[in-house]
Amino acid sequence: MSESAFDPTDFPDPHLLGIEGLAPPYISMLLDRANEFVELNRTVGGKLDTLAGRTVMNLFYEASTRTRTSFELAGKRLGADVINMEVSTSSIKKGETLIDTAMTLNAMHPDALVIRHGSSGAAKLLSEKVNCAVLNAGDGRHEHPTQALLDALTIRRRKGRIDGLQVAICGDIVHSRVARSNIHLLNTMGARVRLIAPKTLIPTEAERLGVEVFHDMRAGLWDCDIVMMLRLQSERMQTNFFPTLREYYHFFGLDYAKLSAAKDDALIMHPGPMNRGVEIASDVADDIGRSAIREQVEMGVAVRMACLETLVKRQEAENGR
Ligand code: ASP
């Protein structure tokens, strides 16, 4: 594996809390490095010792399948020791605050803390209290930076570029940290972003985000290169945002009829977990030629390896270790 131009000390921040504000060279730096890990991950027994002796702690306050597993695998593929804090069996259940938990974990000298939390801003708060690198694995409806990076890597490998592509993000935008991180990344890297959703699921600040807004799938998907579908985040909904799931699927579920408005080779993406028959038809999700959904998961491991390596190595260089 080439060690070429990669220098973690070039990275501007000690933590990865979001994509907002991250300049194009640093996004490219992480994507280039992640791309170097893809082949390694496809090799039987492929493992490095870059982070041997370092400890990565996963602290997940919200459910997760892909993100937690791939952060664990990413740490292990780099040779780190990975500890998964199970919120359901930890002192968090006994009423311990996030800060107290953070201080407790910090006293064990981890090298990186990966946090997912239901409150926007939780990762930032944690980063202010601990000495190690903090990676945001999703904070409320705020950001999910590694998801946007893995989406970008998937797009770049399939389409050869991000710049100039028309990307439609469809569904529950208002509650989605995935949408927010992707809007920042895609705008920064020169793509054109459209949001497609019922009015109730579009954030009020949408116009400020430099995107085009559509409330009709066929109009919004017209001539798109990338179609990114999002799950309805019912866990963040206190009131009704649409009449019925059936009606939602009729107007906003991605099926072949709506997809025909996009380019013939438009790529179908979804961060998972998918709700088949709600935001996406099963046959579209499983379309071998056009759906990149499994590939997104694969890229997730490579991207998280790049992020862990960059931040842990950067921190060590800064502390002169
Ligand atoms: N897995 C993504 C997230 O954690 C998307 C979703 O849950 O719908 O935000």
Side-chain angles (χ1 to χ4, degrees):
M1 223 185 83
S2 135
E3 295 286 326
S4 54
F6 175 74
D7 181 355
T9 59
D10 288 343
F11 198 71
D13 303 312
H15 310 287
L16 182 66
L17 304 178
I19 298 293
E20 189 175 8
L22 201 57
Y26 305 117
I27 293 175
S28 296
M29 171 186 170
L30 291 174
L31 297 183
D32 293 344
R33 188 58 172 169
N35 201 39
E36 294 180 28
F37 290 126
V38 175
E39 279 314 313
L40 174 93
N41 286 337
R42 290 179 180 172
T43 311
V44 178
K47 197 173 165 174
L48 300 171
D49 59 4
T50 322
L51 295 188
R54 308 337 187 265
T55 308
V56 175
M57 286 186 181
N58 274 333
L59 182 57
F60 277 60
Y61 287 80
E62 277 191 341
S64 173
T65 304
R66 281 149 286 270
T67 308
R68 198 196 60 77
T69 316
S70 70
F71 263 116
E72 180 173 358
L73 207 48
K76 288 181 172 166
R77 293 247 165 97
L78 292 171
D81 298 313
V82 183
I83 292 168
N84 294 311
M85 288 286 309
E86 290 304 334
V87 167
S88 57
T89 53
S90 76
S91 286
I92 295 158
K93 278 277 161 204
K94 298 180 181 171
E96 189 171 71
T97 65
L98 171 63
I99 301 303
D100 285 336
T101 306
M103 299 317 290
T104 304
L105 298 180
N106 193 47
M108 298 181 210
H109 304 293
D111 298 280
L113 261 170
V114 179
I115 179 168
R116 166 168 290 188
H117 199 281
S119 303
S120 305
K124 181 163 192 315
L125 183 66
L126 187 73
S127 74
E128 288 159 2
K129 305 288 172 193
V130 298
N131 305 319
C132 65
V134 172
L135 291 92
N136 182 5
D139 62 329
R141 57 172 83 179
H142 175 229
E143 280 230 36
H144 192 351
T146 56
Q147 178 70 47
L149 289 165
L150 75 88
D151 290 340
L153 183 60
T154 308
I155 294 172
R156 215 178 67 167
R157 286 171 61 95
R158 283 281 193 119
K159 297 286 178 193
R161 67 194 167 107
I162 296 174
D163 186 36
L165 293 179
Q166 294 276 2
V167 184
I169 306 179
C170 320
D172 185 357
I173 319 279
V174 75
H175 299 109
S176 175
R177 51 200 178 203
V178 174
R180 242 162 231 97
S181 289
N182 263 306
I183 291 167
H184 292 308
L185 189 148
L186 293 163
N187 274 342
T188 305
M189 300 307 276
R192 308 269 313 268
V193 181
R194 306 168 186 183
L195 306 181
I196 315 176
K199 287 201 174 80
T200 49
L201 294 177
I202 294 281
T204 44
E205 79 272 20
E207 307 294 345
R208 218 172 24 80
L209 295 172
V211 296
E212 273 183 280
V213 175
F214 293 84
H215 304 298
D216 176 84
M217 281 290 271
R218 286 190 61 89
L221 289 179
W222 178 253
D223 216 28
C224 269
D225 300 282
I226 310 287
V227 183
M228 212 178 260
M229 301 308 299
L230 297 173
R231 181 178 66 91
L232 288 170
Q233 311 255 313
S234 43
E235 71 274 30
R236 300 190 211 290
M237 295 182 190
Q238 267 89 50
T239 55
N240 287 343
F241 285 78
F242 49 88
T244 63
L245 284 180
R246 213 180 133 133
E247 188 181 312
Y248 182 82
Y249 178 68
H250 177 74
F251 287 109
F252 294 98
L254 185 68
D255 54 18
Y256 279 116
K258 298 184 191 88
L259 184 62
S260 65
K263 288 205 175 110
D264 288 343
D265 62 350
L267 204 61
I268 301 154
M269 302 180 72
H270 194 307
M274 267 187 290
N275 285 146
R276 292 167 183 264
V278 178
E279 73 271 8
I280 191 164
S282 256
D283 51 358
V284 174
D286 297 334
D287 187 321
I288 295 176
R290 302 182 65 181
S291 167
I293 297 171
R294 301 280 168 267
E295 203 172 315
Q296 288 173 266
V297 178
E298 184 189 6
M299 295 308 125
V301 179
V303 154
R304 286 163 184 135
M305 286 170 81
C307 295
L308 283 171
E309 179 191 34
T310 301
L311 294 179
V312 171
K313 290 287 179 186
R314 183 194 182 282
Q315 170 191 258
E316 289 177 2
E318 198 170 272
N319 297 342
R321 283 205 271 155

